[in-house]
Amino acid sequence: MIITVNGIQHTIDDARQNDALLEYLREDLNLTGTKDGCHVGVCGACVVLIDGKPMRSCCRKLKQVDGHEVLTIEGLHGKDGQIAPIQQAFIDKGAVQCGYCIPGMIMTGHALLMQNHHPTRDEIRKAIANNICRCTGYVQIVDAIEAAGSDYET
Ligand code: FES
Ligand code: FES
């Protein structure tokens, strides 16, 4: 199997085809920004983009991503290697408390803003409806995704 993660191709033994993508990212590639919250597809902490679409990496087997492109929070960046604008927006809007849900929130928000630079607040709420945050109450997270939209124009 061949999987591209953050632009780098990785060859994986077929014997591991039923391993979860989440484990591979965290344990083999040491990309621990993707979080393991519930491990059963409920919380959204493990969301990565697969071919540009937000997916729960705890529920994806490696064989399901063979030949596909995976983007994790570590693969996001702004111009000249700076922090990505959506990450900066989360900081500026005070949208991070414990932080555990935030990589999944940011990847979900990033996928939305790539498709729709100026979503309504309802569209943002709908996009993150399956990402659980136990700390923030969601308002600042919606604020951050809304504020980052203009950085996706060009
Ligand atoms: S860890 Fe994957 S959805 Fe919770
Ligand atoms: S910031 Fe703590 S779970 Fe969201």
Side-chain angles (χ1 to χ4, degrees):
M1 297 175 291
I2 294 178
I3 300 175
T4 303
V5 180
N6 300 338
I8 299 170
Q9 272 197 352
H10 299 274
T11 302
I12 307 169
D13 194 304
D14 283 349
R16 301 193 57 194
Q17 60 183 324
N18 289 319
D19 288 1
L21 173 60
L22 177 60
E23 269 88 5
Y24 179 71
L25 294 173
R26 289 180 57 85
E27 292 170 22
D28 290 71
L29 301 186
N30 205 26
L31 296 174
T32 55
T34 304
K35 300 303 181 204
D36 187 355
C38 66
H39 212 72
V40 291
V42 173
C43 73
C46 66
V47 167
V48 298
L49 302 198
I50 299 175
D51 299 334
K53 295 198 176 75
M55 301 275 179
R56 283 148 205 269
S57 59
C58 70
C59 300
R60 295 276 143 184
K61 295 184 173 170
L62 288 174
K63 65 184 176 188
Q64 294 175 295
V65 286
D66 184 15
H68 294 272
E69 296 205 12
V70 177
L71 182 70
T72 74
I73 190 81
E74 291 88 349
L76 278 189
H77 52 79
K79 293 187 182 115
D80 303 324
Q82 292 171 341
I83 189 170
I86 190 170
Q87 292 172 301
Q88 189 62 53
F90 270 68
I91 296 168
D92 294 344
K93 295 293 180 183
V96 181
Q97 289 191 29
C98 83
Y100 209 80
C101 71
I102 297 301
M105 289 286 188
I106 287 178
M107 297 312 288
T108 302
H110 178 64
L112 172 66
L113 294 177
M114 284 195 299
Q115 298 294 320
N116 177 1
H117 304 332
H118 296 290
T120 65
R121 292 180 71 84
D122 277 350
E123 287 170 330
I124 295 169
R125 281 191 207 98
K126 189 173 172 194
I128 62 168
N130 294 316
N131 291 68
I132 295 171
C133 176
R134 294 295 188 201
C135 305
T136 65
Y138 300 96
V139 174
Q140 298 95 326
I141 288 173
V142 174
D143 291 345
I145 295 172
E146 184 178 42
S150 55
D151 290 302
Y152 286 74
E153 294 169 354
T154 57

